Amino acid sequence: MAEVNVYVNRYADYARVIGERPSRYGDRGFVSSPKNGIYMVFINERDDIDEQIHTLAHECAHIALGHIGPNVDAEEQAERLSCFILGFAKVMATMRA
């Protein structure tokens, strides 16, 4: 399996990191195309922590699935994979308790 580098940032840091304001500030989060082999995930820090975790899983699913650019099918696929990952993590946490 190939190594993937991902940096997670708050929306508030977008302008500092990318050099411009995000055009989609109302979104929960998004992932930028890799620069120098590093994906940048931006998460809306105004969301509650559970939603931020879900958004992180969703954006990482886009990376794992190789999605680049907007695509309705890609959104559904990423949502399904993120729900699977989070559900699996919840089961594993329950088994350890």
Side-chain angles (χ1 to χ4, degrees):
M1 181 176 285
E3 181 178 308
V4 177
N5 295 304
V6 178
Y7 288 161
V8 180
N9 303 278
R10 300 173 304 152
Y11 268 12
D13 295 330
Y14 182 86
R16 181 179 56 78
V17 174
I18 300 298
E20 61 186 52
R21 292 182 56 95
S23 60
R24 309 178 304 175
Y25 196 83
D27 289 353
R28 297 199 181 283
F30 61 94
V31 61
S32 68
S33 298
K35 291 184 172 86
N36 299 323
I38 299 171
Y39 289 91
M40 303 291 277
V41 174
F42 292 89
I43 296 180
N44 193 335
E45 67 275 9
R46 296 177 184 170
D47 288 339
D48 66 46
I49 190 67
D50 290 335
E51 193 58 48
Q52 290 180 37
I53 291 168
H54 179 90
T55 300
L56 177 59
H58 178 92
E59 299 309 326
C60 287
H62 278 300
I63 295 168
L65 294 167
H67 297 159
I68 296 183
N71 178 325
V72 173
D73 292 336
E75 286 302 317
E76 184 176 326
Q77 291 171 358
E79 189 61 21
R80 287 181 184 200
L81 180 56
S82 66
C83 288
F84 175 80
I85 291 167
L86 292 172
F88 181 76
K90 190 170 189 173
V91 168
M92 293 303 292
T94 302
M95 291 175 68
R96 289 184 192 172

